Amino acid sequence: MAVRCEGLSKSYGSTTALDGLDLELPQGEVLGYLGPNGAGKTTTIRLMLGLIRPSAGRAEIFGIDCTRLPVKAHRRLAYVPGESNLWPTLTGAETLHLLGKLSGRIDEAYRDELIARFDFDPIKKVRAYSKGNRQKVLLIGALMSRPELLVLDEPTSGLDPLMEQAFRDCIHEAKQRGQSVFLSSHLLSEVEALCDRVAILRAGHVIETGTLAEIRQLSAVSVEVTFDGAVPDLSGVPGVSALSKHGQVVRFQMTGPVKPLLSSLTGYAVSKLLSREPSLEELFLSFYDGGARDDGSLVD
């Protein structure tokens, strides 16, 4: 198992940032870690990296206790934070060289390939880089070491759409090589494009874990039916909710078996029937009562 958290908790005085977290990331999988600000995502990552001590429970990287043996755990992973804090007087090339020395491993040919793919100029000093270019330094520094586990916390912060696509290509390739990826991101389209499974965090608790297909089964499907002629009353059909009618067009949400709906449509002239599964954004918002965010005064 690349990552295992068991009963992982962290409190700051009377405030609980993380409460009894149980989470697993199998080797070779990409896991999306979702939650609003204050839900506990960054706290989880800091515990995984051994940067803070848990109040209870444990986190393991490839079976290594992250609190007791953080250095040993770090040899198996690379971390990309959402905010860069690099050495301003070094050039990009010097920074990458230093990051390679710190990790103890570097694939120089792959580093040069990444520099080209991310359209990165390694000659400038870090202080002259934009936020996006500083983020490229972190991404290249992590990817060039080809770690067994990539821990990514808002990794594309500041990148333009072309560079976001380059990042996605790199993650797809990392997965094909058998690397594991723990991805915390506010870009739900990014998570949807990259992740095998998602874990949704709320107020320090994982409230749902599974593939997108599994989570979609828990949510309603949007349906639109257009009739030629009479329009039936579907308000009593099991599973139908949020019903609205606009002339010959009826829209609603559908959960559960579709047989009762099909039976109710028998005998009516249906000219068009469209159904759409919810996007990850819609699924995410459904777990937060239409988008309401938890109140969290501490760091995420």
Side-chain angles (χ1 to χ4, degrees):
M1 195 65 63
V3 176
R4 176 180 282 115
C5 299
E6 297 179 341
L8 192 63
S9 301
K10 181 62 179 178
S11 297
Y12 298 90
S14 61
T15 302
T16 300
L18 205 64
D19 189 9
L21 177 75
D22 292 320
L23 188 67
E24 291 185 343
L25 169 60
Q27 295 186 37
E29 183 178 275
V30 181
L31 175 69
Y33 199 47
L34 304 177
N37 293 334
K41 301 190 305 298
T42 298
T43 298
T44 304
I45 290 174
R46 289 175 177 174
L47 288 164
M48 287 168 50
L49 297 175
L51 300 178
I52 57 177
R53 298 183 65 86
S55 303
R58 59 189 283 135
E60 295 180 349
I61 302 292
F62 297 106
I64 303 166
D65 189 297
C66 300
T67 302
R68 293 178 52 248
L69 299 168
V71 174
K72 186 177 181 181
H74 274 254
R75 294 194 184 109
R76 311 283 293 272
L77 64 85
Y79 168 54
V80 177
E83 293 291 335
S84 60
N85 187 17
L86 300 170
W87 303 274
T89 59
L90 298 184
T91 66
E94 290 169 339
T95 303
L96 290 174
H97 177 75
L98 179 55
L99 290 173
K101 288 292 186 181
L102 289 173
S103 69
R105 56 190 182 277
I106 180 174
D107 184 330
E108 294 185 358
Y110 188 44
R111 175 202 60 197
D112 295 342
E113 178 186 332
L114 289 168
I115 288 172
R117 291 171 70 170
F118 281 100
D119 192 23
F120 177 66
D121 181 0
I123 304 303
K124 295 181 180 179
K125 291 188 181 294
V126 166
R127 65 187 174 207
Y129 287 140
S130 65
K131 175 179 173 58
N133 278 314
R134 291 196 299 272
Q135 198 65 19
K136 290 178 186 179
V137 175
L138 296 173
L139 286 170
I140 294 169
L143 291 165
M144 71 183 186
S145 65
R146 297 188 185 274
E148 295 174 76
L149 171 65
L150 284 161
V151 179
L152 310 175
D153 191 4
E154 304 296 335
T156 56
S157 176
L159 297 187
D160 62 41
L162 285 176
M163 295 301 99
E164 287 179 10
Q165 186 57 54
F167 164 76
R168 293 183 187 187
D169 292 341
C170 290
I171 297 304
H172 283 304
E173 293 163 9
K175 179 189 172 185
Q176 291 171 359
R177 289 192 293 267
Q179 293 169 258
S180 307
V181 182
F182 186 95
L183 172 62
S184 173
S185 176
H186 282 112
L187 296 178
L188 300 183
S189 59
E190 184 172 83
V191 173
E192 194 162 17
L194 291 174
C195 297
D196 301 301
R197 292 188 306 127
V198 296
I200 300 176
L201 191 69
R202 179 172 184 171
H205 298 272
V206 170
I207 56 175
E208 195 60 57
T209 306
T211 65
L212 287 177
E214 290 168 344
I215 292 178
R216 282 190 174 112
Q217 290 179 359
L218 304 175
S219 187
V221 175
S222 298
V223 181
E224 178 180 297
V225 187
T226 304
F227 296 90
D228 286 335
V231 177
D233 179 9
L234 301 177
S235 59
V237 177
V240 170
S241 62
L243 187 67
S244 65
K245 178 183 174 183
H246 304 277
Q248 305 302 110
V249 179
V250 178
R251 297 184 180 89
F252 53 91
Q253 301 290 307
M254 183 73 200
T255 56
V258 298
K259 187 175 180 180
L261 172 64
L262 297 177
S263 298
S264 299
L265 297 178
T266 302
Y268 291 89
V270 176
S271 62
K272 185 186 294 185
L273 192 155
L274 302 174
S275 65
R276 182 180 62 82
E277 291 184 328
S279 66
L280 179 57
E281 181 175 3
E282 291 168 326
L283 289 168
F284 178 77
L285 292 176
S286 71
F287 285 107
Y288 289 89
D289 298 324
R293 293 191 169 193
D294 297 310
D295 179 28
S297 58
L298 293 172
V299 293
D300 192 14

